[in-house]
């Protein structure tokens, strides 16, 4: 083997947290996990394209605050993750405005809780579009840029529900299992291009997507919200606490560094032991 090609001997070696000069597109980064990852990129010197839904003035406040607190360039693109052309435009925007694309995080996601026989068909289509197909459209647009640069990192935000199921979440569980298959396939296709593609599988994290779910689960299961939190949500996690966004930032920074170069096509469970059961 040519020892000079070992990552730890390369002159441009990128250690964990060294994101200077790099750029990231993070879908669904106006809130929750995506926003935490965007903060991590900007605070480590990388430029970011934010994306997601929300009040325009609030998004602009978040963007401006992130830019001024980090010194990085922080832009926003409003692509709707149900629209393939808008997603492709978001990736082109990142290259046009920031000059390159090093990191793509397919993170946008929604949830809907209902028994399969009552599951609204439009909710099924929407969840498959946002939680699964959007990653295809963004990855499809990003890979040619990453190959041309000779390096790239794709991180897909899957879920413990990409590995195991829970009742009443048929669309979400199907999409998250799908994204893990997609991650593996892309990883094989780009393995010799110094591009990696991995999935993170968080357990429950305290974000708006979970807050809404507690009320929905209480309705579907005919339980109190307190009981849903104790037995359904934290009941799955042996640690009996939420996973934190800082803990997800840790694995993310590893995956996008050069130390993560051989992590490819893998799913990283950050779930307090949920899927070990
Ligand atoms: P969140 O609700 O805080 O964030 C979701 C983001 O997706 C928001 O920015 C929202 O605006 C964006 N979004 C939704 N629909 C969109 C659309 N059509 N176009 C563009 N953006 C859209 O939730 P979160 O917990 O931060 O979730 C982020 C990801 O992490 C999701 O994929 C979710 O499935 C996954 N996840 C979350 C948990 C958890 O417990 N919170 C656990 C496992 C996986």
């Amino acid at each position: 083997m040519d020892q000079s090609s070992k990552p730890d001997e390369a002159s441009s070696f990128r250690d964990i947290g060294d994101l200077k000069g790099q750029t990231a597109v993070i879908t669904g980064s106006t809130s929750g996990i995506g926003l935490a990852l965007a903060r991590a990129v900007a605070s480590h010197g990388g430029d970011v394209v934010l994306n997601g839904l929300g009040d325009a003035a609030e998004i602009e406040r978040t963007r401006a605050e992130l830019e001024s607190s980090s010194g990085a360039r922080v832009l926003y693109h409003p692509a709707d993750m149900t629209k393939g052309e808008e997603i492709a435009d978001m990736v082109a925007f990142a290259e046009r405005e920031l000059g390159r694309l090093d990191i793509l995080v397919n993170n946008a996601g929604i949830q809907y809780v209902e028994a399969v026989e009552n599951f609204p068909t439009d909710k099924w289509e929407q969840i498959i579009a946002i939680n699964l197909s959007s990653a295809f459209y963004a990855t499809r647009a990003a890979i040619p840029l990453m190959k041309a640069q000779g390096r790239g990192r794709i991180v897909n935000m899957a879920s413990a529900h990409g590995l195991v199921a829970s009742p009443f979440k048929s669309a979400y569980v199907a999409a998250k299992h799908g994204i893990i298959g997609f991650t593996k396939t892309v990883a094989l296709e780009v393995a010799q291009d110094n591009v990696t593609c991995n999935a993170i599988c968080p357990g429950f994290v305290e974000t708006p997507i979970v807050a809404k779910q507690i009320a929905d689960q209480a309705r579907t299961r005919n339980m109190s919200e307190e009981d849903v939190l104790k037995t359904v949500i934290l009941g799955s996690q042996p640690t009996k606490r939420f996973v934190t966004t800082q803990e997800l930032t840790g694995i993310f920074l590893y995956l996008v560094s050069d130390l993560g170069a051989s992590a490819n096509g893998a799913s990283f469970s950050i779930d307090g032991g949920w899927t070990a059961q």
Side-chain angles (χ1 to χ4, degrees), residues 23-42:
T23 72
V25 168
I26 306 178
T27 71
S29 48
T30 50
S31 141
I33 295 168
L35 181 54
L37 297 185
R39 282 191 190 288
V41 171

Side-chain angles (χ1 to χ4, degrees), residues 28-34 51-53 79-82 107-110 130 157-159 172 176 202-205 207-210:
S29 48
T30 50
S31 141
I33 295 168
N51 159 264
L53 308 178
D80 178 343
M81 291 297 115
T82 64
N107 168 79
I110 60 166
I130 296 171
M157 199 54 65
S159 167
Y172 187 88
K176 294 299 186 183
F204 283 107
V205 189
T207 67
I209 207 174
V210 170

Side-chain angles (χ1 to χ4, degrees), residues 9 31 38-39 45 96 101 104 108 131 142 159-160 173 191 194 197 209 235 258 260 266 273:
E9 291 174 9
S31 141
R39 282 191 190 288
R96 194 167 65 241
L101 177 60
L104 168 66
N131 296 19
S159 167
V173 169
N194 197 23
C197 182
I209 207 174
D258 281 351

Side-chain angles (χ1 to χ4, degrees), residues 38-274:
R39 282 191 190 288
V41 171
S43 71
H44 287 90
D47 296 337
V48 191
V49 174
L50 298 174
N51 159 264
L53 308 178
D55 174 70
E58 201 174 307
I59 292 172
E60 173 50 24
R61 263 197 305 280
T62 303
R63 189 207 63 74
E65 179 272 315
L66 203 51
E67 191 164 65
S68 64
S69 63
S70 65
R73 282 192 72 197
V74 181
L75 307 178
Y76 169 71
H77 191 283
D80 178 343
M81 291 297 115
T82 64
K83 303 212 161 71
E85 330 79 73
E86 293 187 18
I87 297 168
D89 186 62
M90 173 187 66
V91 171
F93 169 82
E95 194 205 14
R96 194 167 65 241
E97 297 297 322
L98 300 175
R100 50 189 294 119
L101 177 60
D102 301 280
I103 300 165
L104 168 66
V105 187
N106 291 308
N107 168 79
I110 60 166
Q111 176 63 282
Y112 194 84
V113 179
E114 185 55 273
V116 68
E117 67 270 34
N118 299 324
F119 210 92
T121 55
D122 60 333
K123 279 289 165 201
W124 172 277
E125 300 290 347
Q126 195 187 10
I127 289 177
I128 298 300
I130 296 171
N131 296 19
L132 177 59
S133 302
S134 73
F136 158 71
Y137 285 108
T139 302
R140 181 178 187 278
I143 280 180
L145 309 180
M146 292 176 170
K147 279 186 176 172
Q149 285 166 195
R151 188 185 189 283
R153 294 286 186 266
I154 301 169
V155 178
N156 295 326
M157 199 54 65
S159 167
H161 282 124
L163 303 167
V164 297
S166 297
F168 312 120
K169 296 184 175 179
S170 53
Y172 187 88
V173 169
K176 294 299 186 183
H177 275 67
I179 198 104
I180 288 180
F182 179 68
T183 301
K184 292 179 187 175
T185 308
V186 172
L188 296 179
E189 293 184 21
V190 296
Q192 292 183 42
D193 297 298
N194 197 23
V195 178
T196 67
C197 182
N198 291 286
I200 299 176
C201 297
F204 283 107
V205 189
E206 205 167 7
T207 67
I209 207 174
V210 170
K212 180 180 177 301
Q213 210 183 117
I214 292 175
D216 291 348
Q217 291 261 18
R219 179 179 43 78
T220 310
R221 293 171 182 260
N222 200 17
M223 291 167 73
S224 71
E225 293 194 15
E226 199 180 38
D227 281 349
V228 168
L229 178 62
K230 214 163 76 195
T231 61
V232 181
I233 306 275
L234 297 182
S236 322
Q237 286 183 187
T239 45
K240 301 298 171 210
R241 67 164 177 85
F242 284 108
V243 173
T244 67
T245 54
Q246 290 92 325
E247 289 162 350
L248 297 178
T249 297
I251 183 77
F252 166 74
L253 290 175
Y254 161 73
L255 288 174
V256 301
S257 76
D258 281 351
L259 286 175
S262 289
N264 197 26
S267 302
F268 293 85
S269 289
I270 310 292
D271 65 5
W274 174 350

